[in-house]
Amino acid sequence: MIGKLKGIVDSFGEDFVILDVSGVGYIAHCSARTLQRMPKAGEPAELSIETHVREDMIRLYGFRSDAEREWFRLLQTVQGVGARVALGVLSALEPEALANAIATGDKAAISRAPGVGPRLAARMAAELKDKAPAFAPVDPSLVALTDAVGAGAAPQPVADAISALVNLGYPQVQAATAVAAALKSAGEGAEARVLIRLGLRELAR
């Protein structure tokens, strides 16, 4: 099995790069984000590789980081997620953003990936939630806050602050993240107006 390739970028296709390794051209299928960050043709590059072997073909998938490769593997443990969908998810979300989206149940962010509808996004969030923190740092207080909001158990000032930020056009997960940060600095008893002001300051950074 091939785990890593280091060589010279030969050329690009729609969803792949050809990497010249000592005169042998390897086709590595990649996410759009990985392709965008690859060096130009003729320049050196290195990719972490996931090798898929089937009866009728051998296909290589390339990643700029081991974290991206691990997410590619993990995503495919969910029923209905194959290699193409997994690459689509990684094209839409950075590994850290994906970890946060799954940990907080942000189905809207996950479903931005091509081929991922609301039902599949919900399944991914549910099945991978407990595994997400192992792949990227996820703030436990943010997860707890998001769960409380979803269950209708969040303190009223917190719920009001998140609702206000959402009404201003911010996605739910961004609003919750900002309010969680605001709550840390303002304290548990902070009023909604204070959380909104501090949350907007967080979002403006």
Side-chain angles (χ1 to χ4, degrees):
M1 293 294 180
I2 298 172
K4 182 177 289 186
L5 288 175
K6 188 174 183 179
I8 303 297
V9 176
D10 181 89
S11 57
F12 293 92
E14 184 178 350
D15 66 346
F16 65 85
V17 60
I18 298 179
L19 202 60
D20 185 325
V21 181
S22 301
V24 179
Y26 292 88
I27 297 175
H29 296 267
C30 307
S31 70
R33 287 181 182 273
T34 291
L35 290 175
Q36 289 166 4
R37 294 176 180 179
M38 288 292 291
K40 298 177 182 178
E43 296 183 358
E46 183 176 319
L47 288 172
S48 292
I49 297 293
E50 178 74 3
T51 307
H52 282 195
V53 179
R54 297 181 180 175
E55 289 184 4
D56 57 343
M57 71 170 190
I58 297 176
R59 177 165 289 193
L60 306 181
Y61 295 92
F63 308 94
R64 293 282 285 166
S65 69
D66 289 341
E68 187 184 21
R69 181 179 61 186
E70 291 307 312
W71 267 113
F72 178 72
R73 293 171 176 169
L74 185 62
L75 287 166
Q76 291 178 81
T77 64
V78 177
Q79 183 182 359
V81 178
R84 183 179 296 274
V85 171
L87 284 183
V89 173
L90 292 169
S91 294
L93 294 166
E94 296 273 8
E96 186 170 340
L98 176 58
N100 275 292
I102 287 175
T104 58
D106 187 3
K107 297 181 287 293
I110 302 169
S111 61
R112 287 203 301 266
V116 179
R119 186 173 297 178
L120 181 55
R123 187 187 307 147
M124 291 165 65
E127 293 186 18
L128 301 179
K129 181 174 181 177
D130 293 338
K131 300 177 182 178
F135 288 83
V138 177
D139 187 347
S141 63
L142 172 59
V143 177
L145 178 61
T146 305
D147 288 346
V149 171
Q156 197 59 47
V158 171
D160 290 345
I162 293 175
S163 177
L165 295 180
V166 170
N167 289 337
L168 288 174
Y170 294 101
Q172 172 94 10
V173 70
Q174 278 188 267
T177 302
V179 171
L183 199 60
K184 280 185 176 180
S185 60
E188 294 293 332
E191 298 179 358
R193 60 183 179 82
V194 174
L195 296 176
I196 293 169
R197 175 169 54 81
L198 294 177
L200 286 171
R201 187 179 299 170
E202 287 290 328
L203 290 165
R205 288 183 178 180

